[in-house]
């Protein structure tokens, strides 16, 4: 059967749309072009999808294959223990210095000076303080001067934080650079910006330098290096230019870099142990807040609340190890084109090379997993970022579209086939055909098979048509046909057609139960027709209606079966010499004085299971040799259905 679109000679049906490959290809093109355009457009929804995918990649890597964390970084934390240590040691004569320096926050700036001094003397490469000292100390000018003296003594070894912050003015809001208080801010002081850009999903993915490039430069603000860049420069570490903008996250909060509580540097017992163990020797030391008392927490791909000082630690480690995440295809137009091409190619391959809908879906899922898996490998082990979420969604939708269209078409075909077959074929046969519809469809172009063909005709129909009013004749014929068809279908026969007052049926078509069983089914159907017609005659005589009689002829042999007809009407029918013989034999029933006549070819299949009368050989029209015929009496006991 043709699956092409309707032509002027072929009327349109909406089912043709489901059958045509054009619909599937159109949907594949739709998903591919849509994914490409969204990728090229790079709107906030697209960015959020891709960034969330990258978050998933980071988290998966941390579970499956945690990376080796650089050992050069140590974080000195302003934690809850440091904020409450003065109260803990109050009255302890050995810890007077701690209770004075850490009495209440904010602490004196000379506290930081003392800590910086001890760290550098213990061999730290550099100390970076992720705090903003933009206002004078609340402990007086001498406190600032004490801190300044330490900074000048270790010029180039200490980095302080600066921040681009939004402020309100009479003219509205504006962004300004907030640097350390004037006394502290000497020309040789190392400064680093603490700012990061947040992405569409409100998380930090890119290095601090991006803020200066995209925001500070655009606003014509003073440009200073990021805190990570300034820290590495202070440590005297030369790193190659970052190939990308992305931060490589090495681990989870509090589990990535070693944390040391701030108060331990000032404690007379703790500090000697730390110094002797070389905890800070040759390290980049970051000082920052980790206590929930402070608000310096950021959303990152691996955490909802990562202390800002740890984000800086990841940025430093990224530059130190040259693992900056980079976009493999930076040009958005080219990126969108390649996504479209990839989705189209894979979607076309699935649709063209895989025929079964279920397998199409599996192959589509396979390509989707392959794409995501390849993206993960590139991301985690090559630090390359490629479009992932949108192509994966488009690939899945492409295969799902092909699957859904094919599945809907199959269901419609099954419904249409069931609706058609149930009028002509027994229910068990219908179910068997629907289990393997492909096998049935392969028979449509035409093929040879052996079947039992049954013809039944009403005797004296011409005379009857003149005696009865048309409406009464049609009503009585409909009752007759219904009864005869039920007898055929109940015995696994297939109604082929009505020819005027005649009924044609086959047994062993479209599904055969074996020659003997097909022949027996035809015999059983004929006997049921005889019995049921006798009951009908009793009913009609009680209503003073004209009784009907029929003749039945059955033959077994080879026929040609196929889908025959025009585009306006088609039917799956049989034709051939066996059909002609069955028709001729039925025509002899009145002449032979019996209502059911079978041919020798049928009798030979069931002769040990039927009772017949031998009617001898008869010459049939159109045949050179005579055919032996038998009058059917009934079934022997062993051949009857239980």
């Amino acid at each position: 059967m043709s699956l092409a679109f309707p032509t002027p000679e072929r009327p349109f049906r909406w089912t043709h749309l489901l059958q045509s490959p054009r619909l599937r290809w159109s949907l594949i093109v739709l998903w591919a072009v849509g994914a490409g355009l969204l990728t090229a457009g790079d709107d906030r929804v697209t960015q959020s999808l891709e960034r969330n995918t990258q978050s998933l990649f980071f988290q998966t890597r941390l579970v499956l294959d945690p990376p080796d964390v650089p050992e050069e970084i140590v974080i000195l934390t302003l934690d809850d223990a440091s904020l409450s240590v003065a109260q803990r040691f109050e009255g302890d004569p050995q810890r007077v210095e701690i209770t004075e320096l850490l009495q209440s926050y904010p602490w004196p700036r000379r506290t930081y000076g003392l800590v910086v001094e001890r760290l550098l003397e213990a061999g730290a490469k550099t100390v970076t303080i992720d705090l903003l000292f933009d206002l004078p100390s609340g402990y007086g000018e001498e406190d600032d001067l004490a801190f300044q003296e330490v900074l000048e003594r270790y010029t180039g070894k200490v980095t302080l934080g600066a921040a681009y912050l939004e402020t309100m003015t009479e003219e509205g809001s504006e962004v300004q650079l907030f640097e350390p208080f004037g006394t502290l801010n000497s020309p040789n002081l190392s400064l680093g910006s603490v700012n990061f850009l947040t992405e569409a999903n409100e998380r930090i993915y890119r290095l601090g330098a991006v803020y200066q490039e995209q925001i500070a430069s655009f606003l014509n603000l003073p440009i200073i290096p990021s805190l990570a860049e300034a820290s590495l420069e202070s440590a005297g570490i030369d790193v190659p230019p970052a190939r990308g903008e992305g931060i490589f996250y090495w681990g989870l909060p509090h589990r990535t870099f070693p944390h040391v509580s701030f108060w331990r540097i000032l404690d007379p017992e703790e500090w000697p142990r730390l110094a002797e163990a070389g905890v800070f020797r040759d390290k980049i030391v970051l000082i920052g807040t980790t206590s929930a008392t402070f608000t310096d927490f950021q959303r990152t791909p691996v955490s909802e609340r990562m202390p800002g000082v740890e984000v800086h630690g990841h940025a430093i480690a990224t530059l130190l190890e040259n693992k900056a995440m980079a976009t493999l295809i930076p040009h958005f137009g080219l990126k969108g084109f390649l996504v479209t091409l990839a989705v189209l190619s894979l979607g076309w391959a699935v649709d063209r090379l895989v025929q079964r809908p279920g397998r199409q879906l599996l192959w589509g899922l396979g390509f989707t997993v392959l794409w995501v898996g390849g993206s993960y490998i590139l991301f985690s082990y090559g630090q390359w970022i490629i479009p992932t979420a949108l192509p994966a969604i488009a690939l899945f939708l492409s295969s799902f579209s092909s699957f859904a269209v094919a599945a809907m078409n199959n269901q419609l075909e099954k419904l249409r086939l069931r609706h058609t077959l149930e009028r002509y074929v027994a229910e068990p046969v219908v179910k068997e055909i629907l289990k393997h519809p492909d096998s049935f469809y392969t028979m449509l172009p035409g093929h040879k098979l052996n079947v039992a063909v049954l013809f039944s005709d009403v005797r004296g129909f011409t005379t009857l048509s003149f005696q009865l009013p048309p409406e009464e004749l049609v009503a009585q014929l409909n009752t007759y046909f219904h009864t005869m068809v039920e007898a055929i279908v109940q015995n696994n026969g297939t109604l082929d057609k009505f020819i005027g007052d005649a009924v044609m049926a086959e047994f062993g078509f479209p599904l055969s139960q074996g020659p003997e069983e097909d022949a027996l089914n035809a015999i059983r159907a004929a006997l049921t027709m005889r019995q049921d017609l006798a009951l009908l005659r009793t009913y009609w005589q009680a209503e003073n209606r004209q009784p009907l009689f029929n003749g039945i002829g059955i033959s077994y042999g080879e026929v040609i079966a196929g889908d025959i007809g025009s585009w306006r009407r088609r039917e799956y029918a049989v034709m051939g010499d066996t059909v002609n013989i069955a028709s001729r034999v039925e025509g002899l029933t009145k002449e032979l004085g019996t209502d059911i006549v079978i041919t020798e070819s049928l009798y030979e299949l069931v002769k040990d299971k039927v009772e017949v009368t031998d009617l001898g050989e008869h010459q049939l029209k159109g045949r050179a040799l005579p055919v032996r015929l038998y009058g059917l009496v009934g079934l022997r006991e062993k051949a009857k259905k239980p």
Side-chain angles (χ1 to χ4, degrees), residues 189-449:
L189 180 64
S190 175
L191 292 180
S193 166
V194 300
N195 297 83
F196 290 100
L197 277 180
T198 56
E199 307 300 328
N201 62 349
E202 303 299 326
R203 298 178 189 272
I204 295 173
Y205 289 84
R206 291 188 285 176
L207 295 163
V210 177
Y211 187 94
Q212 282 86 323
E213 295 170 3
Q214 296 191 6
I215 304 298
S217 296
F218 178 77
L219 297 176
N220 294 318
L221 296 171
I223 303 298
I224 62 173
S226 67
L227 199 67
E229 293 171 319
S231 299
L232 288 169
E233 185 177 352
S234 295
I237 300 175
D238 292 327
V239 295
R243 66 171 185 175
E245 300 177 341
I247 300 173
F248 184 90
Y249 283 91
W250 302 79
L252 298 171
H254 311 291
R255 300 183 190 176
T256 307
F257 309 106
H259 281 206
V260 179
S261 188
F262 188 89
W263 70 271
R264 297 178 66 190
I265 309 302
L266 302 172
D267 187 79
E269 294 183 4
E270 292 289 326
W271 171 243
R273 287 200 289 265
L274 292 172
E276 184 178 352
V279 174
F280 302 102
R281 187 178 300 117
D282 297 324
K283 306 295 184 184
I284 298 172
V285 182
L286 300 176
I287 301 176
T289 62
T290 59
S291 170
T293 304
F294 304 101
T295 59
D296 187 18
F297 289 91
Q298 307 294 336
R299 297 182 71 201
T300 70
V302 297
S303 172
E304 291 292 328
R305 281 174 58 85
M306 178 176 283
V309 67
E310 285 205 51
V311 180
H312 291 297
H314 285 285
I316 292 172
T318 298
L319 295 175
L320 189 64
E321 296 293 316
N322 193 26
K323 282 187 173 290
M325 309 299 301
T327 302
L328 187 60
I329 310 168
H331 191 279
F332 288 113
L334 178 60
K335 190 188 303 183
F337 171 76
L338 292 176
V339 165
T340 300
L341 184 62
V343 175
L344 271 178
S345 301
L346 295 177
W348 179 87
V350 170
D351 185 74
R352 292 288 294 174
L353 303 179
V354 185
Q355 300 301 318
R356 294 186 181 180
R359 290 186 179 179
Q360 285 182 339
L361 186 59
L362 289 176
W363 272 92
L365 285 172
F367 279 133
T368 302
V369 171
L370 195 63
W371 186 281
V372 174
S375 298
Y376 169 77
I377 292 172
L378 282 174
F379 184 90
S380 298
Y381 300 100
Q383 290 75 60
W384 291 111
I385 299 172
I386 65 171
T388 303
L390 284 175
I393 292 171
L395 281 172
F396 172 76
L397 289 176
S398 294
S399 61
F400 182 78
S401 297
S402 296
F403 164 77
V405 170
M408 286 189 291
N409 184 49
N410 284 349
Q411 286 302 113
L412 287 173
E413 283 295 311
K414 283 186 178 181
L415 288 173
R416 183 185 65 80
L417 186 59
R418 176 182 286 275
H419 178 70
T420 301
L421 291 174
E422 282 180 342
R423 293 182 293 172
Y424 308 106
V425 183
E427 179 65 21
V429 178
V430 174
K431 289 181 178 179
E432 188 63 29
I433 291 174
L434 291 176
K435 285 181 182 178
H436 309 284
D438 291 343
S439 299
F440 177 73
Y441 287 129
T442 58
M443 297 190 296
L444 293 179
H447 70 294
K448 294 181 179 180
L449 69 162

Side-chain angles (χ1 to χ4, degrees), residues 403-609:
F403 164 77
V405 170
M408 286 189 291
N409 184 49
N410 284 349
Q411 286 302 113
L412 287 173
E413 283 295 311
K414 283 186 178 181
L415 288 173
R416 183 185 65 80
L417 186 59
R418 176 182 286 275
H419 178 70
T420 301
L421 291 174
E422 282 180 342
R423 293 182 293 172
Y424 308 106
V425 183
E427 179 65 21
V429 178
V430 174
K431 289 181 178 179
E432 188 63 29
I433 291 174
L434 291 176
K435 285 181 182 178
H436 309 284
D438 291 343
S439 299
F440 177 73
Y441 287 129
T442 58
M443 297 190 296
L444 293 179
H447 70 294
K448 294 181 179 180
L449 69 162
N450 292 310
V451 298
V453 180
L454 179 151
F455 266 90
S456 174
D457 195 3
V458 177
R459 290 179 179 173
F461 177 75
T462 303
T463 303
L464 189 66
S465 64
F466 285 108
Q467 294 176 348
L468 296 177
E471 61 275 10
E472 186 176 332
L473 176 63
V474 169
Q476 191 168 354
L477 276 177
N478 282 340
T479 302
Y480 165 79
F481 281 135
H482 173 74
T483 304
M484 298 301 101
V485 170
E486 285 299 304
I488 292 168
V489 171
Q490 287 172 7
N491 288 282
N492 296 320
T494 298
L495 176 64
D496 191 301
K497 61 174 69 69
F498 296 111
I499 308 172
D501 61 319
V503 177
M504 175 182 171
E506 294 89 40
F507 297 80
F509 163 79
L511 294 178
S512 174
Q513 296 179 340
E516 181 180 342
E517 191 61 28
D518 292 339
L520 275 174
N521 283 333
I523 296 292
R524 293 186 186 110
L527 293 173
T528 304
M529 293 167 72
R530 171 193 284 171
Q531 178 181 336
D532 290 349
L533 183 57
L535 293 175
L536 274 180
R537 283 196 294 270
T538 302
Y539 167 73
W540 285 329
Q541 288 173 348
E543 291 193 341
N544 295 318
R545 292 190 182 187
Q546 187 74 26
L548 298 181
F549 297 87
N550 69 1
I552 300 173
I554 312 173
S555 183
Y556 186 90
E558 184 179 85
V559 297
I560 297 173
D563 190 28
I564 302 170
S566 71
W567 63 262
R568 290 191 179 276
R569 176 167 179 170
R570 303 182 72 86
E571 61 183 19
Y572 193 41
V574 299
M575 54 190 171
D577 190 49
T578 302
V579 176
N580 297 332
I581 292 174
S583 177
R584 302 281 192 276
V585 170
E586 184 277 322
L588 290 174
T589 54
K590 187 174 182 180
E591 178 183 329
L592 295 172
T594 183
D595 60 340
I596 303 175
V597 176
I598 64 175
T599 62
E600 185 177 19
S601 60
L602 183 80
Y603 174 71
E604 288 298 324
L605 293 172
V606 296
K607 61 184 178 182
D608 58 338
K609 296 183 180 179

